[in-house]
mmCIF file of all heavy atoms in Angstrom:
data_model
loop_
_atom_site.group_PDB
_atom_site.id
_atom_site.type_symbol
_atom_site.label_atom_id
_atom_site.label_comp_id
_atom_site.label_asym_id
_atom_site.label_seq_id
_atom_site.Cartn_x
_atom_site.Cartn_y
_atom_site.Cartn_z
ATOM 1 N N PHE A 125 2.661 82.864 64.710
ATOM 2 C CA PHE A 125 1.989 81.997 63.767
ATOM 3 C C PHE A 125 2.985 80.696 63.544
ATOM 4 O O PHE A 125 2.496 79.624 63.441
ATOM 5 C CB PHE A 125 1.655 82.724 62.489
ATOM 6 C CG PHE A 125 1.047 81.824 61.475
ATOM 7 C CD1 PHE A 125 -0.340 81.460 61.655
ATOM 8 C CD2 PHE A 125 1.727 81.471 60.375
ATOM 9 C CE1 PHE A 125 -0.866 80.706 60.632
ATOM 10 C CE2 PHE A 125 1.279 80.656 59.336
ATOM 11 C CZ PHE A 125 -0.119 80.315 59.460
ATOM 12 N N VAL A 126 4.222 81.066 63.094
ATOM 13 C CA VAL A 126 5.119 79.991 62.789
ATOM 14 C C VAL A 126 5.460 79.112 64.027
ATOM 15 O O VAL A 126 5.390 77.862 63.934
ATOM 16 C CB VAL A 126 6.531 80.663 62.339
ATOM 17 C CG1 VAL A 126 7.517 79.576 62.051
ATOM 18 C CG2 VAL A 126 6.326 81.457 61.061
ATOM 19 N N GLN A 127 5.549 79.718 65.154
ATOM 20 C CA GLN A 127 5.758 78.900 66.349
ATOM 21 C C GLN A 127 4.524 77.994 66.662
ATOM 22 O O GLN A 127 4.748 76.826 66.935
ATOM 23 C CB GLN A 127 6.078 79.809 67.535
ATOM 24 C CG GLN A 127 6.419 79.102 68.788
ATOM 25 C CD GLN A 127 7.809 78.401 68.801
ATOM 26 O OE1 GLN A 127 8.795 78.999 68.597
ATOM 27 N NE2 GLN A 127 7.777 77.061 68.808
ATOM 28 N N LEU A 128 3.408 78.516 66.525
ATOM 29 C CA LEU A 128 2.153 77.683 66.750
ATOM 30 C C LEU A 128 2.148 76.522 65.849
ATOM 31 O O LEU A 128 1.818 75.403 66.201
ATOM 32 C CB LEU A 128 0.991 78.647 66.693
ATOM 33 C CG LEU A 128 -0.401 77.919 66.816
ATOM 34 C CD1 LEU A 128 -0.498 77.277 68.206
ATOM 35 C CD2 LEU A 128 -1.470 78.876 66.559
ATOM 36 N N ASN A 129 2.427 76.771 64.563
ATOM 37 C CA ASN A 129 2.294 75.659 63.527
ATOM 38 C C ASN A 129 3.353 74.649 63.745
ATOM 39 O O ASN A 129 3.094 73.502 63.488
ATOM 40 C CB ASN A 129 2.352 76.290 62.076
ATOM 41 C CG ASN A 129 1.117 76.896 61.697
ATOM 42 O OD1 ASN A 129 0.150 76.197 61.095
ATOM 43 N ND2 ASN A 129 0.882 78.308 61.890
ATOM 44 N N ILE A 130 4.549 75.120 64.173
ATOM 45 C CA ILE A 130 5.564 74.113 64.394
ATOM 46 C C ILE A 130 5.157 73.058 65.556
ATOM 47 O O ILE A 130 5.238 71.867 65.492
ATOM 48 C CB ILE A 130 6.980 74.776 64.673
ATOM 49 C CG1 ILE A 130 7.503 75.455 63.469
ATOM 50 C CG2 ILE A 130 7.925 73.846 65.284
ATOM 51 C CD1 ILE A 130 8.724 76.256 63.633
ATOM 52 N N SER A 131 4.640 73.708 66.612
ATOM 53 C CA SER A 131 4.080 72.933 67.723
ATOM 54 C C SER A 131 3.028 71.927 67.306
ATOM 55 O O SER A 131 2.946 70.819 67.660
ATOM 56 C CB SER A 131 3.676 73.838 68.834
ATOM 57 O OG SER A 131 4.653 74.633 69.330
ATOM 58 N N ASN A 132 2.001 72.491 66.355
ATOM 59 C CA ASN A 132 1.101 71.566 65.968
ATOM 60 C C ASN A 132 1.536 70.526 65.051
ATOM 61 O O ASN A 132 0.967 69.328 65.053
ATOM 62 C CB ASN A 132 0.031 72.407 65.263
ATOM 63 C CG ASN A 132 -0.720 73.286 66.123
ATOM 64 O OD1 ASN A 132 -0.928 73.048 67.370
ATOM 65 N ND2 ASN A 132 -1.240 74.513 65.621
ATOM 66 N N LEU A 133 2.523 70.790 64.184
ATOM 67 C CA LEU A 133 2.997 69.818 63.236
ATOM 68 C C LEU A 133 3.829 68.595 63.922
ATOM 69 O O LEU A 133 3.899 67.461 63.457
ATOM 70 C CB LEU A 133 3.945 70.383 62.276
ATOM 71 C CG LEU A 133 3.396 71.321 61.197
ATOM 72 C CD1 LEU A 133 4.479 72.045 60.384
ATOM 73 C CD2 LEU A 133 2.451 70.586 60.307
ATOM 74 N N ALA A 134 4.153 68.790 65.165
ATOM 75 C CA ALA A 134 4.817 67.755 65.907
ATOM 76 C C ALA A 134 3.875 66.672 66.243
ATOM 77 O O ALA A 134 4.366 65.466 66.506
ATOM 78 C CB ALA A 134 5.550 68.307 67.198
ATOM 79 N N GLY A 135 2.601 66.917 66.303
ATOM 80 C CA GLY A 135 1.575 65.967 66.592
ATOM 81 C C GLY A 135 0.916 65.305 65.411
ATOM 82 O O GLY A 135 0.030 64.436 65.695
ATOM 83 N N VAL A 136 1.324 65.682 64.219
ATOM 84 C CA VAL A 136 0.576 65.076 63.008
ATOM 85 C C VAL A 136 1.165 63.677 62.813
ATOM 86 O O VAL A 136 2.284 63.378 62.929
ATOM 87 C CB VAL A 136 1.049 65.988 61.832
ATOM 88 C CG1 VAL A 136 0.472 65.362 60.530
ATOM 89 C CG2 VAL A 136 0.474 67.456 61.988
ATOM 90 N N PRO A 137 0.170 62.658 62.455
ATOM 91 C CA PRO A 137 0.578 61.336 62.226
ATOM 92 C C PRO A 137 1.493 61.234 61.092
ATOM 93 O O PRO A 137 1.430 62.012 60.056
ATOM 94 C CB PRO A 137 -0.719 60.638 61.957
ATOM 95 C CG PRO A 137 -1.863 61.461 62.560
ATOM 96 C CD PRO A 137 -1.280 62.914 62.507
ATOM 97 N N SER A 138 2.370 60.265 61.133
ATOM 98 C CA SER A 138 3.454 60.285 60.124
ATOM 99 C C SER A 138 2.930 59.866 58.811
ATOM 100 O O SER A 138 3.455 60.218 57.770
ATOM 101 C CB SER A 138 4.630 59.141 60.505
ATOM 102 O OG SER A 138 3.970 57.923 60.753
ATOM 103 N N ILE A 139 1.852 59.150 58.778
ATOM 104 C CA ILE A 139 1.191 58.669 57.415
ATOM 105 C C ILE A 139 0.812 59.950 56.644
ATOM 106 O O ILE A 139 0.729 59.921 55.440
ATOM 107 C CB ILE A 139 -0.048 57.780 57.726
ATOM 108 C CG1 ILE A 139 -0.549 57.221 56.322
ATOM 109 C CG2 ILE A 139 -1.119 58.378 58.439
ATOM 110 C CD1 ILE A 139 0.498 56.359 55.626
#
Side-chain angles (χ1 to χ4, degrees):
F125 177 77
V126 173
Q127 185 67 64
L128 177 63
N129 280 275
I130 290 174
S131 301
N132 291 335
L133 288 175
V136 174
S138 58
I139 186 65

